[in-house]
């Protein structure tokens, strides 16, 4: 390796290390903070590595016990916010899975028909869908709230699922549309000639080929609906119906911020997504290979 | 099983791709649909396969009408230009898919796939995915997928066009060999006249949605039915020249570039127009001494060496050039005087109005 190439390599690794640090530090900090007892969190100078390791924050979350709010400082007689943590977690899981299933299924079928059947507006739909996604969701949220109110769906998980489907479906459809356009139609014709029915062709030939695209669309939907705050904040009001993102905001009030609970919640929120992403990202790349047709 | 089509038409919107075709593809013959791109040959093949619906007309396989049947119910096999292998399946699954769809048990399937793989010499590739195969190997897998089901009709859509020249020459021979072994009616689409001439029992030359000539390769080459076929078949292409039909010493002659050539006796001149289009292949033109009675004098316009032969283009009248294919030892200086002579037995005559070849006795 020439000195110049070596220098370039060193600079590249330095840059990568810097970016990695920037991305990882908040996560690491959140994890360590969640493992510290309350009085160590505010220690000055701060400790990165907890001097005393404790699970008290996690215990408080999972058992619904919380020293400060329990004492009634927040409001008389009400259960503390941490008592709802498991509800919130379950709400987020239900809403996220529901949205992902609906969005992925509908967008896959819609995109397939957009690329394989001729009908008026066939070319315009994917582009219009993309334009729709470019509009910020805050523009949609209040009209949608009114619609949900008319439908008497506010404060239900279904309203969140429908809202997130509206936000994610257009982009997923565009993604799958772009993907299906790259799947040569001859593969399907070959299967038809081989004797398979249309449905069987879709199930056995098209879907496995489109798997990476479906995984990409599903991951996108998962992230959007798991991380959303806006819709949850506007559509929901009962404590037990909130999604996690909105719920954890109850860990601080005008006078008090419970960083220990906040950080423990953050870790619990991050871990499932991180595991899921690591499991799925392999599929994003695998199967993308060409070779079905000339290549 | 023979394939018969009757009054078959196909339009895409206002664009008529096939114009009321009537043809019979005889049983167990290898028939090629040959023509330039856009002539309708692939559309015809796809209609026989059932991948495209006819606008009008009927298709029969062995006397049974099949237009209403889906591709899977026609017992055909098709090799696509892009091979169209299933990317998520390995080679064995690709070949066996048609059997699986038809509910053949796994053990039988494996045995049949094994037999085909042995014939095609791809036995060692059965566990590979298509992306790990070379172009020639993919081609063989596509063939295997078609062969394994013992189809009634074997359809091929330019299957060799993605291969390099050397492999294409090898595969031409192999395809022909497979056809003879399978004894299946084969319909083959190509724009490559060499493939059509070397492999076919019958060639259908198509242009603008019409079959221009449907005959053996020899006949298509030696007796082209019209100007299109004459110009499309043969390399280098046939020379064409306008000629005036006249008479000299009581015998019919063709006047061209100031010369009078006797009309060969094989032509029936009754009803022929006074102006004709004369066609002669470069292989049937030789360089002649200028004083020879049948020589047409001119000047050398261009020469090209094409391996064992040389092409010499001689300008015999303003903007009228005749190409002669001669042995490569024969050299000619640019702009030097030269004369060409035609092998009159190989002459072609066409009616310039209709484009049709003049009838022969």
């Amino acid at each position: 390796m020439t000195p110049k190439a070596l220098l370039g390599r060193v600079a590249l690794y330095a840059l990568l290390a810097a970016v990695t640090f920037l991305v990882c530090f908040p996560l690491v900090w959140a994890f360590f903070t969640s493992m510290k007892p309350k009085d160590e969190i505010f220690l000055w100078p701060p400790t990165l590595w907890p001097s005393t390791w404790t699970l008290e924050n996690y215990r408080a979350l999972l058992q619904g016990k919380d020293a400060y709010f329990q004492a009634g400082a927040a409001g008389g007689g009400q259960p503390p916010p941490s008592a709802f943590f498991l509800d919130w977690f379950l709400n987020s899981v239900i809403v996220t899975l529901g949205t992902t299933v609906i969005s992925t299924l509908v967008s896959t079928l819609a995109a397939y028909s957009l690329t394989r059947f001729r009908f008026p507006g066939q070319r315009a739909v994917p582009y219009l869908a993309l334009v729709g996604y470019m509009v910020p969701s805050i523009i949609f949220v209040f009209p949608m709230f009114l619609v949900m109110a008319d439908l008497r769906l506010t404060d239900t998980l279904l309203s969140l699922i429908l809202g997130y489907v509206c936000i994610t479906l257009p982009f997923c459809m565009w993604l799958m549309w772009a993907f299906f356009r790259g799947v040569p139609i001859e593969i399907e014709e070959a299967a038809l000639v081989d004797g398979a029915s249309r449905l069987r062709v879709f199930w056995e030939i098209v879907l496995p080929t489109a798997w990476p695209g479906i995984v990409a669309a599903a991951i996108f939907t998962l992230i959007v609906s798991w991380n959303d705050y806006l819709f949850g904040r506007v559509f929901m009001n009962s404590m037990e119906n909130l999604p996690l993102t909105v719920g954890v905001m109850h860990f601080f009030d005008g006078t008090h911020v419970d960083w220990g609970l906040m950080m423990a919640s953050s870790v619990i929120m991050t871990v499932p997504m991180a595991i899921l992403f690591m499991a799925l990202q392999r599929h994003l790349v695998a199967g993308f290979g060409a070779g079905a047709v000339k290549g | 099983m023979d394939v018969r089509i009757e009054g078959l038409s196909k339009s895409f919107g206002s664009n008529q791709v096939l114009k009321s075709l009537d043809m019979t593809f005889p049983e167990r013959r290898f028939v090629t649909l040959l023509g330039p791109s856009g002539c309708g040959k692939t559309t015809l093949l796809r209609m026989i396969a059932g991948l495209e619906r006819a606008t009008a007309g009927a298709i029969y396989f062995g006397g049974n009408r099949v237009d209403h049947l889906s591709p899977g119910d026609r017992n055909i096999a098709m090799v696509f230009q892009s091979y169209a292998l299933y990317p998520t399946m390995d080679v064995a699954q690709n070949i066996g898919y048609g059997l699986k769809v038809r509910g053949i048990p796994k053990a039988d399937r494996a045995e049949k796939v094994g037999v085909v793989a042995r014939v095609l010499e791809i036995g060692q590739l059965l566990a590979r995915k298509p992306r790990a195969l070379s172009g020639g190997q993919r081609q063989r897998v596509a063939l295997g997928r078609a062969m394994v089901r013992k189809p009634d009709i074997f359809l091929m859509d330019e299957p060799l066009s993605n291969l390099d020249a050397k492999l294409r020459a090898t595969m031409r021979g192999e395809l022909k060999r497979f056809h003879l072994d399978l004894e299946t009616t084969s319909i083959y689409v190509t724009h490559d006249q060499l493939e059509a001439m070397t492999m076919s029992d019958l060639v259908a030359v198509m242009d603008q949605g019409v079959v221009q000539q449907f005959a053996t390769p020899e006949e298509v080459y030696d007796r082209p039915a019209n100007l299109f076929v004459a110009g499309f078949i043969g390399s280098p292409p046939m020379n064409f020249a306008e000629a005036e039909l006249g008479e000299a010493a009581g015998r019919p002659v063709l006047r061209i570039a100031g010369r009078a050539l006797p009309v060969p006796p094989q032509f029936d001149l009754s009803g022929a127009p006074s102006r004709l289009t004369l066609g002669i292949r470069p292989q049937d033109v030789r360089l002649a001494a200028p004083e020879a009675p049948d020589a047409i004098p001119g000047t050398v316009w261009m020469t090209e060496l094409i391996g064992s032969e040389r092409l010499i283009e001689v300008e015999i009248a303003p903007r009228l050039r005749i190409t002669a294919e001669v042995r490569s030892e024969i050299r000619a200086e640019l702009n030097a005087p030269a004369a060409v002579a035609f092998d009159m037995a190989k002459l072609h005559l066409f009616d310039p109005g209709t484009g049709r070849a003049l009838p022969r006795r």
Side-chain angles (χ1 to χ4, degrees), chain B residues 29-73:
Chain B
R29 291 285 182 264
F30 193 109
V31 179
T32 299
L33 305 175
L34 174 67
S37 51
C39 72
K41 56 190 191 296
T42 295
T43 305
L44 175 56
L45 191 80
R46 290 171 56 83
M47 282 162 75
I48 294 171
L51 294 170
E52 211 78 67
R53 218 176 262 279
T55 311
I59 303 172
Y60 298 88
F61 286 0
N64 299 318
R65 193 161 173 179
V66 297
D67 324 19
H68 59 285
L69 294 179
S70 62
D73 296 330

Side-chain angles (χ1 to χ4, degrees), chain B residues 239-241 243 254 256 261 276-280 342 347-350:
Chain B
N239 296 296
F240 292 111
L254 292 164
I256 171 173
L261 306 173
L276 292 172
T277 300
L278 164 160
I280 185 87
F342 301 157
L347 196 73
H348 303 270
L349 287 176
F350 303 93

Side-chain angles (χ1 to χ4, degrees), chain B residues 39-206:
Chain B
C39 72
K41 56 190 191 296
T42 295
T43 305
L44 175 56
L45 191 80
R46 290 171 56 83
M47 282 162 75
I48 294 171
L51 294 170
E52 211 78 67
R53 218 176 262 279
T55 311
I59 303 172
Y60 298 88
F61 286 0
N64 299 318
R65 193 161 173 179
V66 297
D67 324 19
H68 59 285
L69 294 179
S70 62
D73 296 330
R74 297 187 183 199
N75 199 24
I76 48 164
M78 184 157 170
V79 176
F80 291 81
Q81 181 173 8
S82 59
Y83 315 139
L85 302 181
Y86 311 127
T88 54
M89 301 184 192
D90 64 26
V91 168
Q93 289 168 322
N94 259 282
I95 296 177
Y97 186 69
L99 302 174
K100 182 181 162 196
V101 168
R102 282 171 170 73
I104 311 272
K106 207 169 179 179
D108 288 6
R109 229 152 65 202
E111 194 194 317
K112 287 182 177 175
V113 169
V115 170
V116 167
R118 242 192 327 280
V119 173
L120 291 169
E121 297 165 15
I122 49 173
Q124 73 287 4
L125 304 175
L126 285 177
R128 287 211 204 158
K129 290 276 173 69
R131 67 171 167 273
L133 301 177
S134 71
Q137 290 167 336
R138 286 177 202 173
Q139 174 68 267
R140 282 161 186 272
V141 176
L143 278 176
R145 191 168 64 182
M147 287 163 64
V148 76
R149 287 199 285 109
K150 306 238 182 302
D152 291 332
I153 322 277
F154 198 176
L155 307 173
M156 289 168 272
D157 185 9
E158 310 218 14
L160 303 185
S161 59
N162 284 342
L163 300 177
D164 61 63
K166 198 175 162 194
L167 196 54
R168 202 179 309 164
T170 320
M171 287 305 286
R172 258 198 332 252
E174 293 198 8
L175 272 181
K176 179 83 203 205
R177 184 72 229 176
F178 290 143
H179 166 74
L180 294 174
D181 292 344
L182 288 173
E183 299 194 314
T184 307
T185 310
S186 299
I187 306 179
Y188 185 98
V189 162
T190 184
H191 62 265
D192 183 327
Q193 49 165 307
L194 186 63
E195 285 174 20
M197 299 306 266
T198 51
M199 298 163 70
S200 323
D201 297 314
L202 289 167
V203 179
V205 184
M206 294 181 67

Side-chain angles (χ1 to χ4, degrees), chain A residues 204-232:
Chain A
E204 287 187 353
I205 306 293
V206 177
L207 278 189
T209 312
W211 188 240
I214 294 172
V215 170
I219 286 181
F220 166 78
T221 314
L222 281 170
I223 291 173
V224 167
S225 42
W226 185 258
N227 289 349
D228 172 77
Y229 176 76
L230 185 63
F231 281 72

Side-chain angles (χ1 to χ4, degrees), chain B residues 242-318:
Chain B
E242 296 297 311
E244 196 86 39
L245 192 58
E247 229 180 62
R251 302 188 58 184
V253 291
L254 292 164
R255 295 190 201 283
I256 171 173
R259 288 287 175 134
L261 306 173
V263 178
Q266 69 266 31
F267 292 103
D268 176 4
L269 293 174
S270 56
S274 61
R275 292 191 64 84
L276 292 172
T277 300
L278 164 160
I280 185 87
R281 296 198 185 279
Q283 292 83 359
D284 303 325
V285 180
R286 62 193 154 80
L287 293 185
E291 61 278 9
D294 58 347
I296 305 171
T299 54
V300 175
W301 194 79
M302 177 56 74
T303 74
E304 288 174 297
L305 181 67
I306 53 164
S308 58
E309 271 82 38
R310 188 185 299 276
L311 302 179
I312 298 179
E313 251 182 287
V314 178
E315 191 163 66
I316 58 171

